[in-house]
Amino acid sequence: SQQGEEDPQALSIQEGENATMNCSYKTSINNLQWYRQNSGRGLVHLILIRSNEREKHSGRLRVTLDTSKKSSSLLITASRAADTASYFCATDAFGSGTYKYIFGTGTRLKVLA
Amino acid sequence: NAGVTQTPKFQVLKTGQSMTLQCAQDMNHNSMYWYRQDPGMGLRLIYYSASEGTTDKGEVPNGYNVSRLNKREFSLRLESAAPSQTSVYFCASSQTGNSPLHFGNGTRLTVT
């Protein structure tokens, strides 16, 4: 079964608006990562946030992590048409001894020009 | 700097045929992974190799075998392909288990 589940499954917004997508997971983690996938391509890493961090920024991206609720959110501010892609969260399995990253089912974001 | 290279890009197999998907990385990464991506299912981990000489099962290992040939190369073998293995296969690598994954561009496999 999937460790992470993204919400919503699909999101359509106008250029310039903010986009928020959420990720919930089931077991304790060492860190959580967000990735972007453009159609037909491999995934590209966006941000890694560790379990002892609560918030992280990278350019127009802001990621929060709430380990008590086992959830994370990715905020893209001032969205652009080029942000149209699928976004995935990935979590590892804390205490497994190795980092086995499990991905969620993704959020498909469409930014309308 | 090529990053993660997967070959072939496309492949069509008949049920029962075998093939090996190749993956090589030039970033001197320790860990390597094989995922499959099906519509609506996200990515599912097939096998991974935390370091050279070790391999472990992921979420969906049945029907697959892997070989960590050396630090650079991690291959995925389908011994007897089935239509359920029609998917897009991604290889990824990371410096350590606690660092970002770098993905190849995928192999699109169709089993008829």
Side-chain angles (χ1 to χ4, degrees), chain B residues 87-107:
Chain B
S87 188
V88 181
Y89 291 84
F90 288 100
C91 177
S93 70
S94 63
Q95 178 59 42
T96 66
N98 199 21
S99 54
L101 274 63
H102 297 255
F103 281 83
N105 282 326
T107 294

Side-chain angles (χ1 to χ4, degrees), chain B residues 16 36 43 47 55 89 98 104:
Chain B
R36 60 177 288 175
L43 278 80
Y47 271 94
T55 60
Y89 291 84
N98 199 21

Side-chain angles (χ1 to χ4, degrees), chain B residues 20-86:
Chain B
T20 299
L21 281 65
Q22 307 286 354
C23 175
Q25 51 92 7
D26 62 2
M27 296 171 284
N28 201 35
H29 284 172
N30 291 305
S31 302
M32 298 186 74
Y33 309 79
W34 276 106
Y35 289 90
R36 60 177 288 175
Q37 185 175 31
D38 303 300
M41 296 292 291
L43 278 80
R44 290 183 291 171
L45 181 62
I46 305 171
Y47 271 94
Y48 65 106
S49 171
S51 60
E52 186 180 355
T54 69
T55 60
D56 285 288
K57 295 177 181 179
E59 301 171 272
V60 288
N62 291 344
Y64 305 94
N65 285 300
V66 290
S67 294
R68 183 75 183 265
L69 302 169
N70 47 55
K71 193 171 185 180
R72 289 187 64 246
E73 298 172 287
F74 188 38
S75 63
L76 178 71
R77 183 160 178 83
L78 286 70
E79 291 291 351
S80 179
S84 61
Q85 295 177 306
T86 293

